[in-house]
Amino acid sequence: MTLYWLAGLFATLLILALAGYAALLWRRVAQQQKARQQQQAERQQRLAGDLQIIAGCLLDEQMPWIEGCIRLKVLLDHYDASLSCSAPFAVLHTVHAEVADVPSHQAWKDLPSRERKAHEQRFRELELQHKIAVRQAVLHLQQQLAARA
């Protein structure tokens, strides 16, 4: 009989210890989820700020038009992919696709002058073709960002 009591007591203590450990693990998971959500919110805030800066620079013509379009498209993809794919921003995807084959950074510098000039001519043509639509997309983006703030 004493053996049964000891076994029952041991089983009860084991169950309590496992329940305590399970509660500890659940608390850790909840803390990790909260930290992840906070990191995601901070990331979204940083991206929104970056989008505002690039949008403002593009509208004020403080950066090359093509560069602004590319940066906005990429940042918008990271900020909110579904927003990025919406109709007002299709022009950013169009411009990005048109210049996707253009070398960048050192590869751009290494291009012969003739090729660089050809690309720059293409950039000017794209700007003439899409500038109004890009401006409208940027203004729409600024409205969206302000509404989410």
Side-chain angles (χ1 to χ4, degrees):
M1 188 73 142
T2 305
L3 185 60
Y4 289 121
W5 280 99
L6 286 175
L9 181 61
F10 178 74
T12 302
L13 290 175
L14 182 62
I15 290 170
L16 287 174
L18 289 174
Y21 184 63
L24 175 70
L25 291 177
W26 275 111
R27 193 168 75 213
R28 284 184 188 168
V29 167
Q31 288 172 342
Q32 288 174 348
Q33 282 181 326
K34 186 177 178 180
R36 213 174 3 258
Q37 288 171 346
Q38 185 175 352
Q39 289 172 344
Q40 181 64 18
E42 289 170 1
R43 178 181 179 268
Q44 288 298 98
Q45 263 186 321
R46 276 192 314 275
L47 286 170
D50 293 347
L51 283 165
Q52 284 284 19
I53 290 168
I54 300 296
C57 289
L58 188 61
L59 290 175
D60 294 341
E61 298 182 6
Q62 295 178 354
M63 69 183 334
W65 185 83
I66 291 290
E67 180 181 348
C69 289
I70 292 168
R71 286 178 183 261
L72 278 179
K73 186 263 184 207
V74 171
L75 284 172
L76 192 54
D77 285 349
H78 290 285
Y79 177 71
D80 184 342
S82 62
L83 180 63
S84 177
C85 292
S86 64
F89 305 110
V91 67
L92 296 176
H93 290 268
T94 300
V95 170
H96 185 268
E98 287 285 331
V99 298
D101 63 326
V102 177
S104 64
H105 303 87
Q106 188 61 43
W108 173 261
K109 293 176 186 175
D110 294 342
L111 281 178
S113 176
R114 175 185 238 159
E115 285 185 49
R116 265 189 283 163
K117 287 182 182 181
H119 286 302
E120 288 168 350
Q121 177 60 35
R122 193 162 127 211
F123 296 163
R124 285 188 291 275
E125 291 169 3
L126 285 170
E127 183 174 359
L128 286 173
Q129 185 179 1
H130 298 291
K131 189 169 187 173
I132 293 171
V134 167
R135 183 173 176 76
Q136 290 170 343
V138 171
L139 292 171
H140 182 74
L141 174 62
Q142 287 180 323
Q143 291 173 347
Q144 291 292 314
L145 293 172
R148 292 183 181 201

